[in-house]
Amino acid sequence: MGRRKCLFPLCDNQKELFLFPRDATRAEVWARAVGLLWPQKKTSGMYVCCKHFAPDNFVNQGQLESGFANRLILKEDAVPIPISKTVVVNQMQFSSKPLCREVGCQTEIFTKDATCQTDVYSPTKHVSTQYSWKPERRSKSIQTKQHVKHVSCSTTTSSTSFEEGPLAYSTPVKRCRRESTEDNTFYPEVTNHSIYNESTVVETPPHKMRKFIVYEENLIELFRKCPVCTRSCTTHLRTVGTLLCVDQVCTHCEHQKTWTSQPYVTNIPAGNIQLSAAVIFSGASFLLVEKFLQAFNIAGISHTTFVKHQRNLLLPTINWLWNVHQSTVTSEAINSGDTVLGGDMRADSPGHSAKYGTYTLMDLQKNRILDIQLIQSNVVGNSQRMEKEGLQRCLRQLEHRGVRVHTIVTDRHPAVMKFLKENRPDVVHKFDAWHMAKGVAKKIDQLAKTRTCREVGAWKKSIVNHLYWCGASSSAGREIVAKWKSVANHVQNIHEHDGEFPNCLHQPLVGDQARQWLKPSTAACEKLCDVILAPKLLRDLQNLSGDYQTSSLESFHSLLIRFVPKSVAFSYLGMLCRSQLAAMHYNENSERKQATTEAGQLRWHIQYPRYKKGECTVRPLKTSPTYGYVQRLMELLFDCVLEQPQQFQEKLKEVDVPDPLCTQFTRPEKWEAVALHTSRFKSMDYTE
């Protein structure tokens, strides 16, 4: 069966083709425009390309030029320009180009000429919006079969130059030769990496095609009979990862056919790339997905292939889209004026032996993650210094983008407090109420475990609630401290106080409302007052934040565990890009509304948080989360990264990756100390 092509004379265009309409009246107009006699016996298989239509005959011409559409859509009443009135309609720039496949420094172009000297032309697109997530759109020719006629051709391209920021538009350089384009499989004994067929064009992108689970025996039924003589055929199966190739040979009529289960994208099966992309874009673990495929007995790629795809294609895609997304959220923060930020660090392991520290700065007014920095412990000396370094990097990054930081809410980390006090006196530093209440509650729990202070435990919840009330109902630091000191008298049934807060605001407590008051001068009362009136606590209470808290940031840390579990070891770039994925997921779903029933009533659900130790809490049930960022990552990967991966890889190389932790023991200057340390152990007597 021949290839589809335009019916206009001297037009061999095979892309952006439109089938003749089924309506007889319109089909007659199309046929006369092409120069065919009417009536025709059939119009199936007859096409006219986009070059023979006026620009106003397309519905989405502007969207295509802006990069938001994949192919042209023709209006229902569109009519081709007749041959007698042929004009140049190529004034608009289509996204298509000659179907070609770059292999190293060779370019095979499917034309009739055997040898040609050509310059690859890529139409430049001027995008009006400032924060576009796609770079210059490249050709979307997808090779479903590889065997082509050899064509000798030299290609001239311009070099790539980056401007400041991730959105610089430039002509991409030619893709370098890959070391290997093979994808392994779970079944290496039946894998054959040599599949050669003719090249065809698939109009629907492979990541948007629907996939089905087909059993092997049911699939072979389609190839057991020859389509020419209807006799039995011999079939041979080959797999390349998730791709299945079926060779059909008829011994009677010598009919031969090769069928592949999926298209190729830049010499790689599309299913292999999309499987790797689906694993990491969803924040899943490849090892678990591999076990699932093996349990289901589905052919899949190997771990080596996944790592290769992740390093060369997937991580650059995530990093690029995060930079574009970050530009969008920071521009919104700039437009809002002075920003209130919340900062905190999440370590990859508990205790003081963490390797990575992920520091996050959030816009508390809009509930958006503005920046996320990954620090490795050997860069700053130890894990205790990672939080200060993370805050410094985040502030430098945001202020470089033009964000004005007015207030920052953090926990009471000593290094952070000292840094902001000495180096950033212009920034108002507030303390999160949850972290302060958590510290007070821990001390009360520890005090309640002693034999003489057990009655103190009954006051923990009331004291914690009083701390939140002090911050929310006060306008100045001195007022917060005065209200907080009153609780030391309140637990002793004394409700009149000295200072700015003269008496308690509650009504007299009588009958069942009376509490288990602590007796003055007892051990329980004195030790509890020491906790409440600790000088460091009173000094920090003056900076207690009453309007904004970092509870949303703690929710993001809970979400981060899904993308970067603490039980799994990741590389530096893997940890960073997965954290960026989590930030994009959080920002997309940060404004979810509360779910409602069919009658319009709000929905709630009961939870049992670990910190409440068995007590339940009622929380609003939110609507289901969305995953639009995954679709944008897929489109960026298949439309741009696979065509020209170099510019995305160069952007990822700008990330300063620190040396591994073990390298400090392999440096030449350390060898002498290691040898001396080893000789001391060899000289010791272990008989004792």
Side-chain angles (χ1 to χ4, degrees):
M1 182 178 179
R3 298 179 183 173
R4 299 181 302 175
K5 65 178 183 178
C6 181
L7 291 180
F8 267 79
L10 303 178
C11 183
D12 293 333
N13 187 22
Q14 299 177 4
K15 300 187 66 176
E16 299 288 351
L17 300 177
F18 300 96
L19 188 65
F20 262 58
R22 295 183 178 180
D23 182 48
T25 304
R26 293 185 58 221
E28 180 181 359
V29 177
W30 281 43
R32 291 178 179 176
V34 176
L36 298 178
L37 297 178
W38 190 261
Q40 293 286 326
K41 294 183 179 181
K42 65 174 184 177
T43 58
S44 60
M46 301 171 61
Y47 299 88
V48 176
C49 71
C50 59
K51 297 181 180 180
H52 305 287
F53 291 92
D56 56 355
N57 286 334
F58 300 103
V59 177
N60 61 340
Q61 174 189 347
Q63 298 178 5
L64 182 71
E65 294 178 351
S66 302
F68 294 100
N70 298 328
R71 59 190 302 272
L72 291 171
I73 300 177
L74 201 62
K75 294 182 179 179
E76 295 183 357
D77 56 347
V79 177
I81 302 175
I83 298 179
S84 58
K85 299 181 181 180
T86 301
V87 295
V88 178
V89 193
N90 267 345
Q91 295 176 355
M92 62 178 180
Q93 298 176 348
F94 297 99
S95 64
S96 60
K97 67 175 183 180
L99 179 61
C100 63
R101 175 166 64 94
E102 296 182 7
V103 182
C105 58
Q106 298 291 332
T107 301
E108 299 181 5
I109 301 181
F110 300 101
T111 61
K112 295 183 179 180
D113 298 334
T115 306
C116 64
Q117 302 289 331
T118 180
D119 294 339
V120 175
Y121 171 72
S122 174
T124 304
K125 300 182 184 299
H126 300 282
V127 182
S128 59
T129 177
Q130 181 181 2
Y131 303 107
S132 173
W133 62 271
K134 290 185 179 180
E136 178 183 359
R137 177 176 289 273
R138 301 290 296 171
S139 171
K140 294 182 57 182
S141 60
I142 302 171
Q143 300 182 11
T144 60
K145 304 174 184 178
Q146 292 183 351
H147 182 61
V148 296
K149 298 181 180 179
H150 177 71
V151 180
S152 175
C153 174
S154 65
T155 305
T156 304
T157 58
S158 60
S159 60
T160 303
S161 60
F162 275 97
E163 298 179 3
E164 183 179 359
L167 303 177
Y169 287 80
S170 59
T171 304
V173 297
K174 188 187 299 180
R175 185 176 66 255
C176 61
R177 183 186 299 273
R178 287 191 175 91
E179 296 179 359
S180 173
T181 59
E182 300 177 352
D183 283 340
N184 298 328
T185 176
F186 292 144
Y187 316 103
E189 66 274 4
V190 296
T191 301
N192 191 319
H193 301 290
S194 301
I195 299 179
Y196 298 101
N197 289 297
E198 294 182 353
S199 289
T200 58
V201 177
V202 179
E203 297 181 355
T204 305
H207 63 280
K208 294 184 178 180
M209 297 180 184
R210 298 178 63 188
K211 288 83 175 173
F212 301 91
I213 298 177
V214 182
Y215 283 71
E216 182 178 2
E217 293 298 327
N218 298 73
L219 182 63
I220 296 303
E221 288 290 336
L222 303 176
F223 300 97
R224 287 180 177 174
K225 290 186 179 181
C226 178
V228 178
C229 63
T230 67
R231 296 185 180 183
S232 298
C233 295
T234 59
T235 57
H236 176 63
L237 306 182
R238 294 172 290 163
T239 58
V240 181
T242 61
L243 178 138
L244 172 64
C245 178
V246 181
D247 296 325
Q248 184 183 26
V249 179
C250 180
T251 58
H252 301 279
C253 64
E254 298 182 354
H255 170 76
Q256 297 182 1
K257 179 182 178 180
T258 301
W259 176 86
T260 54
S261 62
Q262 57 189 245
Y264 270 76
V265 182
T266 61
N267 301 334
I268 306 176
N272 294 358
I273 300 177
Q274 192 168 5
L275 176 60
S276 301
V279 170
I280 189 172
F281 291 168
S282 61
S285 170
F286 177 79
L287 298 180
L288 295 179
V289 174
E290 184 181 26
K291 292 179 181 179
F292 166 78
L293 295 178
Q294 289 177 346
F296 208 160
N297 200 18
I298 299 177
I301 61 177
S302 66
H303 185 262
T304 304
T305 302
F306 170 77
V307 172
K308 180 185 66 176
H309 290 167
Q310 179 181 248
R311 179 181 63 253
N312 297 332
L313 300 173
L314 305 181
L315 296 184
T317 304
I318 296 173
N319 182 68
W320 183 285
L321 188 60
W322 163 250
N323 282 293
V324 177
H325 175 75
Q326 188 182 19
S327 300
T328 304
V329 294
T330 51
S331 65
E332 295 176 359
I334 293 172
N335 296 333
S336 63
D338 294 337
T339 309
V340 179
L341 301 179
D344 196 9
M345 192 194 75
R346 177 254 191 189
D348 66 328
S349 63
H352 303 286
S353 59
K355 178 181 179 181
Y356 295 122
T358 305
Y359 199 89
T360 308
L361 273 185
M362 173 185 288
D363 186 355
L364 299 180
Q365 295 173 320
K366 297 183 177 295
N367 194 19
R368 297 287 184 89
I369 302 294
L370 295 184
D371 192 32
I372 185 167
Q373 295 289 335
L374 183 64
I375 300 92
Q376 191 167 293
S377 59
N378 63 334
V379 176
V380 293
N382 55 57
S383 58
Q384 292 291 330
R385 303 174 184 175
M386 292 193 297
E387 187 159 358
K388 174 186 173 183
E389 179 66 20
L391 176 61
Q392 291 178 340
R393 293 185 184 182
C394 288
L395 290 178
R396 284 198 301 265
Q397 177 72 10
L398 294 181
E399 291 177 348
H400 176 72
R401 292 176 176 267
V403 178
R404 297 191 302 271
V405 181
H406 178 266
T407 306
I408 182 169
V409 182
T410 66
D411 56 3
R412 295 189 295 166
H413 194 281
V416 172
M417 296 169 59
K418 182 179 180 181
F419 166 73
L420 293 176
K421 182 179 180 180
E422 295 179 355
N423 301 312
R424 299 304 305 269
D426 56 317
V427 177
V428 180
H429 188 199
K430 296 289 185 178
F431 297 134
D432 177 57
W434 179 81
H435 285 89
M436 296 190 70
K438 181 181 177 182
V440 173
K442 283 185 176 181
K443 293 180 179 179
I444 295 177
D445 286 336
Q446 186 178 3
L447 186 62
K449 293 179 181 179
T450 60
R451 183 175 57 86
T452 58
C453 303
R454 292 178 180 176
E455 60 269 25
V456 173
W459 286 94
K460 185 186 74 170
K461 188 174 181 179
S462 299
I463 293 175
V464 169
N465 292 339
H466 182 72
L467 189 145
Y468 281 102
W469 176 80
C470 291
S473 61
S474 304
S475 58
R478 296 179 59 184
E479 184 180 357
I480 296 175
V481 174
K483 290 181 178 179
W484 173 251
K485 287 182 177 180
S486 66
V487 74
N489 293 332
H490 178 83
V491 297
Q492 304 177 52
N493 199 17
I494 301 174
H495 307 291
E496 295 182 357
H497 324 288
D498 298 333
E500 298 182 3
F501 190 65
N503 49 27
C504 296
L505 301 181
H506 60 79
Q507 298 296 328
L509 302 177
V510 294
D512 296 338
Q513 296 179 345
R515 308 296 179 87
Q516 296 180 0
W517 309 110
L518 300 181
K519 296 181 180 180
S521 302
T522 60
C525 180
E526 294 296 331
K527 291 182 179 180
L528 180 60
C529 291
D530 291 342
V531 173
I532 296 174
L533 303 177
K536 186 176 185 304
L537 178 62
L538 296 179
R539 183 177 67 251
D540 295 341
L541 278 172
Q542 297 182 7
N543 297 324
L544 180 65
S545 176
D547 298 330
Y548 299 99
Q549 309 298 332
T550 62
S551 56
S552 299
L553 201 53
E554 298 297 330
S555 300
F556 170 69
H557 289 168
S558 301
L559 172 68
L560 196 58
I561 296 178
R562 292 172 45 192
F563 289 84
V564 193
K566 294 187 177 182
S567 59
V568 182
F570 296 95
S571 64
Y572 184 87
L573 290 178
M575 187 89 172
L576 176 63
C577 292
R578 282 178 172 265
S579 301
Q580 293 170 351
L581 266 178
M584 288 188 287
H585 177 86
Y586 182 88
N587 288 347
E588 182 175 334
N589 298 277
S590 61
E591 297 180 355
R592 283 190 299 158
K593 297 181 180 179
Q594 187 174 356
T596 58
T597 61
E598 295 181 357
Q601 298 179 353
L602 298 178
R603 298 180 60 184
W604 306 81
H605 66 134
I606 300 176
Q607 288 185 343
Y608 294 86
R610 185 179 61 180
Y611 70 91
K612 286 203 170 185
K613 299 180 180 180
E615 296 184 10
C616 65
T617 181
V618 179
R619 294 179 179 176
L621 182 64
K622 299 295 185 65
T623 56
S624 300
T626 59
Y627 304 92
Y629 66 96
V630 176
Q631 184 63 26
R632 291 191 292 271
L633 285 168
M634 285 290 185
E635 293 180 0
L636 179 62
L637 173 65
F638 282 89
D639 293 351
C640 304
V641 179
L642 286 170
E643 292 291 338
Q644 292 292 338
Q646 271 192 343
Q647 56 179 331
F648 298 90
Q649 294 171 359
E650 291 295 330
K651 184 63 181 178
L652 185 61
K653 289 180 181 179
E654 296 178 4
V655 178
D656 187 13
V657 180
D659 297 332
L661 293 178
C662 59
T663 55
Q664 58 181 336
F665 299 108
T666 58
R667 294 173 183 171
E669 59 270 14
K670 298 292 183 178
W671 278 113
E672 184 177 354
V674 173
L676 179 61
H677 181 73
T678 307
S679 63
R680 291 178 179 176
F681 278 96
K682 288 182 179 180
S683 62
M684 294 177 63
D685 186 5
Y686 295 95
T687 57
E688 298 181 358

